[in-house]
Amino acid sequence: LTLAEAAAAIDALPADASAARVAVALARGALVGARGNSGVIVSQYLGALLRHGGVRPDGPAGALAAAADAAYAAVARPVEGTVLTIGREVALGARGAAAVGVDDVTGLVAAGLAAGYAGLERTPQMLATLHRAGVVDAGALGLLLVLDGLLAALGGGTHDRATEVLAAGGAGRMGPTTT
């Protein structure tokens, strides 16, 4: 619902809307459509990513870090093993790639996604609710799917490990978001 409302907000814009206007509409639509903690967290993450993307001195890796920080700031009591953890893992993966010389946005997002998917596989060990259910966090997986779409839109192919992670982590079931 979060992303459906974001898409609807973009669709309502005129065809010649500027990139800045599209970014504002996406962020506002995501916030309006947010349902539950994970929806609000993802909306804040996307809003920060759009605000900081390309304008931070530390580039895309810094924008991903700012997005993760905004996600943590969106909740009173952060819970690890959720979408929050994965947002941070993505940022750390991108920063690690930047530290070894990766400077193109697709390479940084791909490195962040690899770290995020690796973190997603560990979420059941971080959160007892997920462990008991034998699943990964659905909100965390959702964020990775959005970022995977971003990578594809940037021309970087797709990371698309969702099916593999789900099969390994819970016979194809997604767990409840517990943020």
Side-chain angles (χ1 to χ4, degrees), residues 88-100:
R88 186 183 62 232
E89 292 289 326
V90 168
L92 290 172
R95 283 205 188 265
V100 297

Side-chain angles (χ1 to χ4, degrees), residues 20 23-24 27-28 31 43-56 63 66-67 69-71:
V24 168
R28 185 177 187 293
L31 182 57
S43 75
Q44 295 303 300
Y45 182 98
L46 292 174
L49 185 60
L50 291 166
R51 279 191 307 279
H52 296 290
V55 296
R56 288 185 55 101
D69 291 344

Side-chain angles (χ1 to χ4, degrees), residues 2-159:
T2 303
L3 295 177
E5 192 66 33
I10 293 169
D11 288 344
L13 294 173
D16 63 346
S18 68
R21 194 165 169 204
V22 170
V24 168
L26 187 151
R28 185 177 187 293
L31 182 57
V32 168
R35 301 294 186 273
N37 287 340
S38 289
V40 172
I41 291 165
V42 169
S43 75
Q44 295 303 300
Y45 182 98
L46 292 174
L49 185 60
L50 291 166
R51 279 191 307 279
H52 296 290
V55 296
R56 288 185 55 101
D58 48 357
L64 289 165
D69 291 344
Y72 272 91
V75 294
R77 289 189 309 258
V79 175
E80 296 303 322
T82 65
V83 64
L84 294 171
T85 305
I86 300 312
R88 186 183 62 232
E89 292 289 326
V90 168
L92 290 172
R95 283 205 188 265
V100 297
V102 176
D103 61 0
D104 65 293
V105 69
T106 57
L108 294 169
V109 173
L113 273 165
Y117 276 111
L120 181 68
E121 292 173 359
R122 294 189 306 272
T123 60
Q125 287 73 49
M126 295 178 203
L127 196 55
T129 304
L130 299 175
H131 182 72
R132 281 191 302 274
V135 296
V136 297
D137 186 76
L141 178 60
L143 177 62
L144 291 172
L145 291 171
V146 169
L147 293 174
D148 211 353
L150 172 63
L151 180 62
L154 292 170
T158 183
H159 213 278

